[in-house]
Amino acid sequence: METSMIEKLDAARSSFLKWATVGYAIWFGTYIVADPFFLPEIPSVIQWIRILGWLILAVSGIRAIKLKRELRWDKKMRGALEGELHQYNLRKSFQTGFFVVMGVTAVFLMVSLFYTIPALLVTKVILYLGGLTVLISKMFYNRD
């Protein structure tokens, strides 16, 4: 069974989006995990995990740049791959990320009435969950 070029490029986009999500989750997640735990042996392990996540994210970024370069020359292919449905799904995923950021911020605001929470931790968690939500919802909306 032969697949068209559009199907191949769409599969490539789905693949690097999945790996970008994994890389971002690992890379940025280690910044949150590293703060509360000050055990002597954990920081070195976390550094290696962080580097692994960064490498996965960098490779998927390079793959995204290659796809963009390939689509820049073929306007028909770009129109088919980045059509109205793609733009709609992209908008929905950013809206989902916005609502998650607002919800997490509201939760932290309510918790801060009773407990003192470090501002850096709050910022990292909000940024992590907002970015991860956008990536995961983009994969979810773009699954077909």
Side-chain angles (χ1 to χ4, degrees):
M1 182 175 181
E2 190 170 320
T3 59
S4 70
M5 188 63 162
I6 294 172
E7 291 171 341
K8 288 179 184 177
L9 293 175
D10 190 45
R13 178 173 58 192
S14 294
S15 174
F16 76 71
L17 189 59
K18 289 174 189 171
W19 283 107
T21 304
V22 169
Y24 181 78
I26 293 171
W27 172 68
F28 202 82
T30 57
Y31 283 105
I32 297 170
V33 173
D35 279 346
F37 305 110
F38 292 107
L39 299 174
E41 60 274 352
I42 287 187
S44 63
V45 172
I46 287 180
Q47 289 293 350
W48 286 107
I49 294 171
R50 184 177 295 155
I51 290 170
L52 174 68
W54 183 85
L55 287 173
I56 293 170
L57 189 60
V59 168
S60 62
I62 291 169
R63 290 176 61 202
I65 291 170
K66 284 176 58 177
L67 178 66
K68 284 290 186 185
R69 185 182 313 142
E70 193 169 332
L71 290 177
R72 183 176 35 193
W73 291 312
D74 194 350
K75 294 191 187 290
K76 286 184 182 179
M77 193 80 69
R78 180 176 48 193
L81 197 61
E82 294 180 352
E84 291 176 10
L85 181 62
H86 172 75
Q87 298 298 325
Y88 178 70
N89 289 339
L90 189 64
R91 187 174 308 120
K92 282 194 326 186
S93 64
F94 275 102
Q95 284 176 341
T96 305
F98 171 77
F99 287 119
V100 166
V101 165
M102 296 306 286
V104 171
T105 303
V107 167
F108 274 125
L109 183 63
M110 298 306 283
V111 170
S112 72
L113 297 174
F114 305 105
Y115 301 103
T116 303
I117 307 170
L120 186 60
L121 179 64
V122 171
T123 305
K124 286 179 181 180
V125 169
I126 290 172
L127 185 61
Y128 178 71
L129 291 177
L132 200 58
T133 301
V134 170
L135 290 169
I136 290 172
S137 62
K138 178 67 174 130
M139 282 189 326
F140 178 75
Y141 293 134
N142 204 36
R143 70 184 178 274
D144 292 329

